[in-house]
Structures are given as structure tokens and as C-alpha cells.
Amino acid sequence: MSPSTLSPIAFPDVVLPESARRLRAEVRAFLDEERARGTVLGRPDSWLAGWDPGFSRRLAGRGWVGMALPTEYGGAGRGFLERYVVIEELLAAGAPVSAHWVSDRQAGPSVLQHGTEEQRRFFLPRIAAGQCFFSIGMSEKSSGSDLASVATRAERTADGWRLTGTKMWTGGAHVNDYAIVLARTDEAEDRHAGLSQFIVDLRAPGVRVEPIRLMSGEHRFNACHLEGVRVPDGMLLGRRGDGWKQVTGELAFERSGPERYLSTFPLLVSLLRELERRPATAERLTQVGLLTARLHSVRRLSLGVAAALDAGASPDIQAALVKDLGTRLEGTLIDTVRGVLPTPADPHATPGSHPELLAFALLHSPGYTLRGGTNEILRGIITRGLERH
């Protein structure tokens, strides 16, 4: 079955080409160099917590940011499967990729698909060079899972738009350059109509960023207040009223990648290193084996979505399934690690030690099944997709 004719839960079988093997070796050599620099620390959840623009620019210098963007816009034109190999290696190593993460994963593809030629020429080369970082402006205080109820409004002005509202959980808004904001431009009986997307300069007058701190005290998320922010006509992304369709298209990129099952992978690596120094009991081997088998299965599904994206399909149902299975696996991994090797979690232990990595993963774990859509919402998407077919 070809990816373009996928049924709602079918995944193509994927065999990575020989070029992917060579690429993987190149990325591992690069990561060894970065470890020697002290920039790759093997931390869990590095795509959220590892903000290092210098690392992003060095990665971009290798052609590994904006890999799937066309060469005419500064990208590498290499496709989603080769990009997948690079992302997989970076996340498995716990590399600090959060600075360019949203730009590379979904802002770039969204601008490529929906943007004007002027927007493509301006933003895409900067994204591929690791010089332009984006945030996501979707969720609101009462519009997380019910995204169609967004209250942020965009009012027409003589030369553009005026945006008013507050976006919640806006990752990186305090350090990034732009956000793609979903706002209501028109009243409509259908709540999914009348929504549009805008590219908002996060340093524009009227943008006020208020920190939302994690349990660990880290500042990763924000409440992003838009207080009459003026947005030029040229920063409307796509067509007026097509915001809902564009947002749901983005979610295939957001929900299906290796970050949905590798956020806690560095903790598994740490466990295996600890077990090398201990007797290998049958119970320990069985638990680690089951965990590894689940990890392998979700990876195969995620690779299937990457292949479908490469073929030009829109695998939103498959992406929802990957995120549901993957984020539950991340939580199971923490529980299994604690069961196999009972160790007190200690955020003040030596950086990179097993107790410190365990504490870091635990403090981040409440977000695994929330960000990108709760698992309950994802199961509704999967169910409705099956019913339509």
C-alpha cells in the first residue's frame, strides 16, 4: 500500500536507504565533537529544555536544520526520512535542540505550504541557517484541548490587523523571534470557520510575555499577552478563514516525530549503564526487554508517518496514534526504570548522574501526555477518523 492511499491506521513499511546509514554516522561524529565541547549533556526532554542557539547554528552549518525545505529557499531538500535520522540521533543523545525546534519541525513547513513567496524568501533561509526561531501561539486559558474556542481576535485595520488576546503555554516566547498565532478573524456558525493564522513579531509593541514556570522552577513556557499588537497585511499566513485547516495540517508534523517517544530515552541509556555494573537478573532483563520492544514498535509507526509525509500525504490520524502510544511509553519508561533499579531521584545530584536524570525526567513527566494534544483528545481524533472510513 502506498503512503498516499493509507487507510486511517495503516502505516507503510519503511526501509531506510543506505544514505541514511552514512548520515547517521556523520551525526554521531558531530555529537562526539559537541560532547567534547560540553554542549551535549544527555538530558531528557532536550527538545523542550535544551535552548542553545549556538548549537543550532552549528547544526545548521552542517545542513541539518531545514533539511526538508527546498534548496531554493536555503534548505537541504533531503526529505523527511533523512531529517528523521538526524532528529533521532539528536534526541537519543539529549542534544540541546529547542532553540530551532519549532521553526524546523512546523513553522518552516507551514510557511512553505501556506506562505506567500515574499514570506518564503524572508523566513525559510533564516530558519535553515539557525537564525530565526519560532514559537507556537495556539492554546489559551480555556482553549487547550478545545482549540476551536480560541478567544484571541484579529480586527481589520487600514493597513493590516490588530491582535488582542492571551496565548498560554507559548514555549520560548521570551527568547524566540516570532510566533504563529491562531486568531478569530470572522464570526461563523461553525466554530472551526473564521479562524486565521498570523506571523507575529515577539518583540513588537503590545507583546507582553509572562513566565509560566515548571515544577523544577525552569522557565520554558509563557503566557503571551497580545495587547492590540499591530500585524502588517503581509504577515497573514495563508488565506483568511483557513486557520483551522492549516493548524490541523501542522499537527501531523507536531505529533508524529521521534520526540514523542524519545524524550525519556537518555534515562533508559543511563539505566543500562548502571545495570552493566550489577548482576543481570532474569526479571531485570525481562522488564528492559519489554520496554525496548515497545520502543521499537512505536519507532516503526513513527517512521511510517515520516514516509507518508515524504510522499505528500496528510497522515493526521496516524500521527495522533503515534503520539498517544509514544507519550504513554515515555511515562512507562520512567516507571520501569524506577522498578528495575530503585534509586532516589535527586535534582541536586551530580549533573548527568542517574539520580539527577531521573529527577529531571520526573519533573517534566506531567507534560508528556498533554503537550500537542491530550491523549483523550487524540483518541477522539482516531475514532472519528475510523468512523469516516
Side-chain angles (χ1 to χ4, degrees), residues 81-230:
L81 281 174
E82 287 185 297
R83 177 185 178 275
Y84 192 100
V85 169
V86 173
I87 295 302
E88 190 172 46
E89 288 297 323
L90 293 171
L91 294 178
V97 295
S98 69
H100 69 272
W101 189 259
V102 169
S103 306
D104 181 64
R105 181 183 67 182
Q106 66 201 93
S110 293
V111 171
L112 177 65
Q113 183 175 359
H114 305 296
T116 63
E117 186 63 17
E118 184 179 3
Q119 288 170 350
R120 294 187 190 114
R121 295 288 176 191
F122 181 83
F123 288 109
L124 298 185
R126 289 168 172 79
I127 288 173
Q131 296 174 349
C132 182
F133 305 136
F134 272 77
S135 295
I136 302 171
M138 289 189 193
S139 295
E140 298 180 9
K141 188 172 183 179
S142 301
S143 302
S145 298
D146 183 17
L147 188 59
S149 67
V150 294
T152 296
R153 306 194 70 82
E155 299 175 343
R156 199 75 174 89
T157 64
D159 57 352
W161 303 84
R162 182 182 293 108
L163 269 61
T164 304
T166 297
K167 293 296 179 178
M168 302 295 289
W169 311 110
T170 313
H174 57 301
V175 287
N176 289 340
D177 303 300
Y178 296 90
I180 296 181
V181 172
L182 181 68
R184 185 162 297 283
T185 48
D186 301 280
E187 295 299 333
E189 186 175 341
D190 179 0
R191 293 189 312 152
H192 300 94
L195 296 169
S196 303
Q197 286 187 304
F198 297 87
I199 300 174
V200 176
D201 184 344
L202 290 172
R203 293 170 180 79
V207 176
R208 181 168 60 87
V209 176
E210 179 185 358
I212 300 175
R213 297 192 180 275
L214 303 181
M215 289 192 298
S216 61
E218 296 168 82
H219 178 192
R220 308 296 177 190
F221 292 106
N222 304 276
C224 187
H225 304 283
L226 307 173
E227 300 170 341
V229 178
R230 302 181 72 87

Side-chain angles (χ1 to χ4, degrees), residues 29-30 57 78 87 94 135 159 164 188 256 292 310 374 382 387:
F30 169 78
R57 284 190 282 272
R78 299 186 71 164
I87 295 302
S135 295
D159 57 352
T164 304
S256 63
T292 305
D310 244 356
T374 65
I382 295 165
E387 289 173 347

Side-chain angles (χ1 to χ4, degrees), residues 242-385:
D242 278 358
W244 183 258
K245 181 172 67 174
Q246 293 171 197
V247 162
T248 53
E250 284 178 34
L251 292 176
F253 298 106
E254 183 177 351
R255 289 172 171 166
S256 63
E259 73 272 22
R260 296 308 178 185
Y261 62 91
L262 286 180
S263 291
T264 52
F265 185 80
L267 183 62
L268 176 61
V269 173
S270 177
L271 171 68
L272 295 176
R273 287 173 178 160
E274 291 291 320
L275 292 180
E276 285 178 350
R277 300 192 288 268
R278 292 171 169 77
T281 66
E283 182 180 2
R284 282 175 172 168
L285 292 175
T286 298
Q287 290 186 21
V288 173
L290 290 172
L291 192 63
T292 305
R294 282 185 63 180
L295 186 71
H296 178 75
S297 298
V298 176
R299 177 179 183 267
R300 295 290 296 180
L301 299 180
S302 181
L303 273 168
V305 175
L309 290 169
D310 244 356
S314 298
D316 53 336
I317 308 302
Q318 295 93 329
L321 183 59
V322 168
K323 183 182 181 300
D324 178 49
L325 294 173
T327 54
R328 281 191 286 148
L329 171 61
E330 289 180 324
T332 299
L333 191 151
I334 295 175
D335 293 339
T336 301
V337 167
R338 298 176 79 188
V340 170
L341 185 64
T343 303
D346 184 359
H348 305 296
T350 303
S353 67
H354 189 72
E356 192 263 347
L357 294 180
L358 177 58
F360 195 88
L362 278 169
L363 289 170
H364 280 239
S365 62
Y368 297 152
T369 57
L370 296 176
R371 57 199 184 194
T374 65
N375 284 29
E376 292 77 11
I377 292 296
L378 295 174
R379 291 168 197 169
I381 291 171
I382 295 165
T383 300
R384 288 191 297 274

Side-chain angles (χ1 to χ4, degrees), residues 7-24:
S7 69
I9 56 170
F11 291 81
D13 191 29
V14 180
V15 178
L16 291 172
E18 182 60 33
S19 61
R21 297 176 184 271
R22 294 193 297 270
L23 180 58
R24 193 180 296 279

